Amino acid sequence: MEIFEIRVKEILSRIVEIEAENEEHALDLVKKKYYGENIVLDYSDFENVDFKSLIDEQGDKHKK
């Protein structure tokens, strides 16, 4: 039997409403909140999951 590396990628997503002077300022404010850990995505923000063999991505290199 062989061992294969499979990438499991989850996507989490949340809409954040924020009051700001303009779009750029809104993006900056949300980024600061996110990186300051005031916005933490969790299982309730689940959007999608994808499974992909690393052989598909980089040839036989990741087949063990």
Side-chain angles (χ1 to χ4, degrees):
M1 193 160 299
E2 298 180 66
I3 296 175
F4 296 88
E5 292 182 341
I6 306 297
R7 180 187 312 276
V8 179
K9 185 191 309 185
E10 289 185 336
I11 298 174
L12 305 178
S13 175
R14 180 186 302 173
I15 305 296
V16 176
E17 292 185 1
I18 193 151
E19 188 173 324
E21 298 169 9
N22 55 45
E23 184 179 25
E24 184 178 336
H25 184 225
L27 284 167
D28 286 342
L29 290 173
V30 172
K31 285 179 184 179
K32 284 179 184 173
K33 285 180 169 268
Y34 177 79
Y35 290 116
E37 298 182 5
N38 295 307
I39 299 172
V40 179
L41 304 181
D42 61 27
Y43 69 93
S44 66
D45 300 303
F46 178 82
E47 185 174 303
N48 191 16
V49 65
D50 183 49
F51 301 91
K52 186 165 191 167
S53 169
L54 294 183
I55 291 173
D56 293 343
E57 292 180 0
Q58 299 177 5
D60 289 340
K61 186 176 177 181
H62 289 279
K63 183 177 170 185
K64 292 183 178 181

